[in-house]
Amino acid sequence: MNKRTLLALSALFAAALAVNAGAAPTAVTKGVATYISGGIGVDESTLIQQEAKNYPLELEFVIKATPKDEYAADIHVKISDAGNNVVLDAVSNGPFFLAKLPAGSYRLAVAKKDQVKERKIAITPGSHQHIMFEWLE
């Protein structure tokens, strides 16, 4: 392999790394909550699933479809504390949504278009919970 080919391959490899690094979901902090959302594509999905253990709340969004279920994105996520104060209001960029919240009781509402699903949750130190929400096709 000559120098020119090696240089071209190195540049191509560096460009591929830069593209992959730019695609990684990043944590966003709003008030007392920190979250990551995404999971579109294998690389991004793998990164989020590896990071999930560091977050007490993991949400997954699925559309029940025939012949095979599909992941959902653009899900509105709203979390309120026991005093009914909104502590997190965001839209998931993919089928996975990870959140760090202070310990306590919360009301979780997720919406896909006009279909809202609610659930009460409790965040405790050192815990991790995975909640899957499903909508019909």
Side-chain angles (χ1 to χ4, degrees):
M1 190 176 299
N2 65 29
K3 277 186 174 181
R4 179 179 261 173
T5 304
L6 187 58
L7 185 59
L9 285 175
S10 296
L12 208 61
F13 182 68
L17 285 176
V19 166
N20 284 338
T26 57
V28 176
T29 300
K30 290 185 177 179
V32 299
T34 299
Y35 71 92
I36 294 178
S37 70
I40 307 263
V42 175
D43 291 342
E44 195 174 297
S45 179
T46 300
L47 286 170
I48 289 217
Q49 290 175 339
Q50 289 172 346
E51 192 63 27
K53 67 184 177 293
N54 299 317
Y55 286 77
L57 181 62
E58 176 183 2
L59 306 178
E60 185 174 352
F61 309 118
V62 176
I63 298 171
K64 300 298 281 177
T66 303
K68 183 178 162 186
D69 293 347
E70 302 169 359
Y71 281 125
D74 298 321
I75 306 297
H76 184 210
V77 177
K78 187 173 175 180
I79 303 175
S80 303
D81 64 16
N84 210 25
N85 301 303
V86 175
V87 295
L88 181 59
D89 191 350
V91 175
S92 182
N93 296 325
F96 298 102
F97 191 92
L98 310 176
K100 286 182 186 174
L101 302 159
S105 297
Y106 297 91
R107 176 169 222 69
L108 170 63
V110 295
K112 182 185 177 306
K113 296 185 182 177
D114 60 348
Q115 299 176 352
V116 179
K117 298 183 179 280
E118 294 185 334
R119 186 156 179 184
K120 290 183 180 179
I121 59 170
I123 302 295
T124 56
S127 70
H128 175 82
Q129 56 188 309
H130 175 252
I131 303 170
M132 181 181 287
F133 288 95
E134 299 176 334
W135 287 270
L136 297 177
E137 184 175 33

